[in-house]
Amino acid sequence: MKWLDALTKGHFIDKAINTECQDIDRYAAAHFTHCLPDGFDANVATLWYKLVLVLNLAQRAGHSCLILADVANKEMVTGLRLPDEAQLVDCIAQCLEHMPSACFGLEHGCFYSGRYMAFERDIAAAVSRRASVSSPDQDEDDINAFMAQHWASWFDGAAFTDSPQDKQQQAVSKALRANLLIVNGGPGTGKTYTAAKILAALRELYQQKEKSSLKILLAAPTGKAAQRLTEALQSQSGHGAQTLHRLLGVRMDRVEPKFNEHNKLHCDVLLVDEASMIDLSLMARLFRALPDRCVLIMLGDANQLPSVESGNVLKELVDAASHPEAPYDVVTLNKSYRFGGALGEFADAVLYGQNSQIRALLDADNGITRVDMSQDPNIFTQKAIADFSALFQSDSPKEALERARSARWLTPMRRGQWGVESLNQQIEMALSRKYKQVLPERVYAGKLIMITQNHYSASLFNGDVGVVWPDDTGNLMAWFEGPHGDLVSHHVARLPANITAFAMTVHKSQGSEFDHPTLVLPPVSDFTPQTRQLIDRALIYTAVTRAKKALCISSSVESLEMAILQKHSRMSGLAKQIFTLAGR
């Protein structure tokens, strides 16, 4: 196939594509193009090569498929423009006949790799099955009578109605009728409070019906989120929360987790927090392992950043629920009980892309400030010292940890001048000018560290932040807050993998709050195509909603507005899969 040799060397594609594709992308595209038989139409084969190449790039960017209507007649990669949808469908149909079994698929106008198509199919099938199973096994009149009996005690004397207007009451009402409920909402809207009410109601209903206890499990995608969930809801569940990986028995040396479609989890209710962080693969494994009669409650904020890996399952499920015949319920809590004022207005302005409102709020005296550290190194040094001095003036590790929650710098990136690695080095250099014990990239009293690898026996989890501080004998130890608010110390040399944490990525900050964080954005001149893929409206919204009292943004107005203009959505066919299985 001389045409294929030429193709893989870039003769059919603008050489600029080589800067955006990795060798693995070209290898995969070439490998599956080699599966086509001799004499196959060279033009169709060339288009197939391009489609597989673009699919690989899309999956690495977080998409689960290519929606052909969305990519047709568009330049998906520099120098690579795809033809119209009809040609794409015809090409895929011809080439799929010659591909190894289950490697690719075309469904509902979406082009998949086989793995991601299976994930979306499994989630859609599980959602559809759950809609047909009523749990607990009671009719509408029984449930209404039960709620009327207990409603006043659950909601401070409120009168019962079978169509409550209050969103938290709606969530409790729906949870008693459904096997799948999503409680969606921004920070401070009472998701955890609502979850506690739901669990209490389910327990009382189950005891009334079965005269036995309800087995409730709690889980979250990260160790840090699981620890917070334990602190909030352990009294309701009787068990601490686990990471989803630990709950399912995911093991590094095996493809299948311990709990799967052949070995289901043993629970009556599973409550999962921070659902926006769950990627497509993990969500599929979760649904496979759940008994159909188990009540699944998911909490999350669909407007926050999607998972690091492929998929944006929570947002897909929330958006699909807007259909009047969606086979599950979503309750969106929209009243914030702790996140309001200027910060709340600013978050809303970011969420809806209202740049004029953003400028007005930045100009007002309201706790939201803007600096541009890229213009003056002295501003960087002064701000680093101002933000973290209180930490070094602490008298105990407990006080140091409390003060560490006041300030944190957030950035979209790990690498580059404005990434986590560089920012932490620069912050340490700035602090060393005032505090002699600060030794950049060494261990010293006051150093903030973040665990990046779960260590279950030590109860340290990916995302946990601690501080280095001397113990009573003067030895430097790493101190972390324990599950009950107590302090736990570990020898620094025995810690799992960790990094400096004066600055952290916005992704890592999800689920955390700080009194006055700083969001650091690169200057406009550094907005490369790769940077634009990282920085968008959802990222800015996520960073802004980490603030409790005040917010500082280190950026030019142009950089901030450019970031907010970027509104990425991940391509997925999950909603189409759900509606097809539901008979629509």
Side-chain angles (χ1 to χ4, degrees):
M1 291 186 179
K2 292 183 179 179
W3 58 267
L4 180 58
D5 293 334
L7 180 64
T8 56
K9 291 176 182 177
H11 293 303
F12 290 160
I13 301 175
D14 192 299
K15 290 299 182 72
I17 193 174
N18 292 328
T19 65
E20 298 177 45
C21 297
Q22 296 181 7
D23 287 344
I24 187 64
D25 302 318
R26 287 184 285 271
Y27 174 82
H31 172 78
F32 288 109
T33 307
H34 268 297
C35 294
L36 300 174
D38 290 335
F40 196 81
D41 187 304
N43 290 327
V44 175
T46 300
L47 180 53
W48 175 251
Y49 177 93
K50 293 178 180 181
L51 273 167
V52 175
L53 191 73
V54 172
L55 180 62
N56 277 335
L57 289 169
Q59 288 179 164
R60 197 164 60 248
H63 305 283
S64 57
C65 64
L66 294 180
I67 299 177
L68 298 183
D70 291 350
V71 302
N73 299 311
K74 291 182 181 175
E75 187 174 85
M76 300 304 298
V77 183
T78 304
L80 193 160
R81 176 175 288 274
L82 295 177
D84 62 52
E85 185 179 358
Q87 285 183 263
L88 296 177
V89 171
D90 181 63
C91 169
I92 294 169
Q94 290 187 55
C95 295
L96 283 181
E97 295 179 11
H98 305 285
M99 291 301 111
S101 176
C103 280
F104 299 97
L106 176 64
E107 281 192 339
H108 315 302
C110 300
F111 178 45
Y112 292 92
S113 65
R115 182 168 178 259
Y116 286 101
M117 185 166 69
F119 288 150
E120 290 199 348
R121 277 179 170 177
D122 287 352
I123 293 172
V127 168
S128 180
R129 281 197 311 273
R130 301 180 74 75
S132 65
V133 178
S134 176
S135 177
D137 234 356
Q138 300 199 36
D139 63 29
E140 190 75 9
D141 290 340
D142 288 340
I143 293 175
N144 282 336
F146 169 78
M147 289 193 293
Q149 178 184 353
H150 296 280
W151 201 259
S153 64
W154 296 339
F155 295 107
D156 300 325
F160 169 70
T161 170
D162 57 3
S163 300
Q165 297 302 304
D166 180 87
K167 293 291 187 179
Q168 293 178 339
Q169 294 179 17
Q170 283 182 24
V172 173
S173 178
K174 290 178 181 295
L176 298 179
R177 296 174 166 89
N179 261 19
L180 172 58
L181 174 68
I182 298 171
V183 181
N184 176 50
T189 52
K191 294 189 293 293
T192 305
Y193 170 85
T194 304
K197 295 290 186 184
I198 288 172
L199 295 183
L202 285 169
R203 180 185 289 107
E204 291 186 43
L205 178 60
Y206 193 91
Q207 288 173 344
Q208 177 174 301
K209 174 180 176 292
E210 301 288 348
K211 306 300 182 184
S212 60
S213 61
L214 188 71
K215 184 171 183 182
I216 300 172
L217 297 181
L218 306 176
T222 68
K224 181 173 65 173
Q227 184 177 359
R228 287 195 309 274
L229 192 59
T230 296
E231 295 165 1
L233 295 178
Q234 185 169 14
S235 62
Q236 292 291 344
S237 69
H239 302 279
Q242 305 176 68
T243 64
L244 285 169
H245 286 82
R246 196 171 197 188
L247 174 76
L248 297 174
V250 174
R251 289 167 284 192
M252 296 292 290
D253 58 337
R254 296 190 182 181
V255 174
E256 280 294 322
K258 176 182 177 181
F259 294 100
N260 51 55
E261 60 266 42
H262 306 298
N263 182 32
K264 302 283 189 177
L265 288 164
H266 304 292
C267 59
D268 301 302
V269 177
L270 174 63
L271 187 141
V272 180
D273 197 10
E274 298 291 354
S276 66
M277 300 171 67
I278 305 174
D279 62 67
L280 182 65
S281 167
L282 187 57
M283 190 70 85
R285 288 180 168 88
L286 174 63
F287 273 106
R288 289 169 184 166
L290 272 183
D292 287 344
R293 299 188 69 83
C294 169
V295 177
L296 175 61
I297 311 292
M298 291 197 287
L299 313 179
D301 182 355
N303 289 318
Q304 283 196 26
L305 281 170
S307 58
V308 175
E309 302 298 330
S310 291
N312 192 1
V313 184
L314 180 68
K315 185 166 180 57
E316 282 288 307
L317 291 173
V318 169
D319 289 348
S322 62
H323 192 289
E325 297 183 45
Y328 55 92
D329 287 308
V330 173
V331 176
T332 296
L333 308 179
N334 44 33
K335 179 182 178 182
S336 180
Y337 294 90
R338 62 168 171 78
F339 188 77
L343 285 173
E345 292 177 25
F346 194 81
D348 286 343
V350 168
L351 190 58
Y352 299 109
Q354 299 167 338
N355 281 337
S356 59
Q357 176 72 349
I358 289 169
R359 285 178 178 259
L361 289 166
L362 287 173
D363 291 338
D365 182 13
N366 55 15
I368 303 172
T369 58
R370 187 187 66 82
V371 298
D372 192 350
M373 293 188 292
S374 68
Q375 298 299 310
D376 187 348
N378 291 325
I379 296 177
F380 187 105
T381 300
Q382 292 166 10
K383 181 160 179 54
I385 293 173
D387 281 358
F388 299 108
S389 280
L391 172 62
F392 291 90
Q393 294 165 8
S394 303
D395 294 322
S396 67
K398 182 176 179 63
E399 186 178 17
L401 273 175
E402 290 173 351
R403 291 181 172 183
R405 286 189 282 268
S406 292
R408 198 67 50 86
W409 290 15
L410 310 177
T411 176
M413 302 162 292
R414 288 196 300 121
R415 297 186 177 86
Q417 183 180 359
W418 303 104
V420 164
E421 295 173 2
S422 176
L423 283 177
N424 277 313
Q425 291 172 0
Q426 294 178 70
I427 290 170
E428 286 186 317
M429 288 296 296
L431 292 172
S432 69
R433 299 183 183 184
K434 182 172 182 179
Y435 301 100
K436 300 304 180 185
Q437 78 264 34
V438 176
L439 303 171
E441 300 185 28
R442 302 278 295 277
V443 178
Y444 53 86
K447 183 183 182 81
L448 288 182
I449 55 175
M450 177 190 289
I451 301 300
T452 58
Q453 184 178 54
N454 290 339
H455 193 304
Y456 292 107
S457 61
S459 294
L460 291 175
F461 302 102
N462 185 4
D464 284 353
V465 174
V467 65
V468 176
W469 204 264
D471 62 12
D472 292 339
T473 65
N475 292 320
L476 288 178
M477 304 289 287
W479 299 82
F480 297 84
E481 186 174 342
H484 305 293
D486 53 325
L487 288 189
V488 180
S489 64
H490 299 269
H491 196 286
V492 176
R494 296 176 181 172
L495 290 175
N498 61 89
I499 58 174
T500 308
F502 296 103
M504 62 198 300
T505 63
V506 177
H507 270 99
K508 284 289 188 183
S509 75
Q510 285 181 277
S512 298
E513 295 177 327
F514 309 100
D515 289 341
H516 47 90
T518 296
L519 171 61
V520 182
L521 296 177
V524 171
S525 58
D526 287 359
F527 270 68
T528 63
Q530 290 76 16
T531 305
R532 290 171 190 267
Q533 288 297 319
L534 286 173
I535 305 176
D536 71 347
R537 187 179 299 178
L539 181 137
I540 305 299
Y541 170 81
T542 302
V544 169
T545 54
R546 301 310 94 205
K548 292 172 64 178
K549 298 179 180 178
L551 172 70
C552 179
I553 298 176
S554 174
S555 162
S556 66
V557 173
E558 291 74 22
S559 287
L560 179 61
E561 291 185 346
M562 183 178 292
I564 292 170
L565 283 174
Q566 303 287 322
K567 190 177 180 183
H568 301 145
S569 60
R570 291 184 171 181
M571 288 183 281
S572 167
L574 181 58
K576 294 177 182 178
Q577 298 270 11
I578 291 171
F579 291 137
T580 298
L581 287 173
R584 290 180 289 279

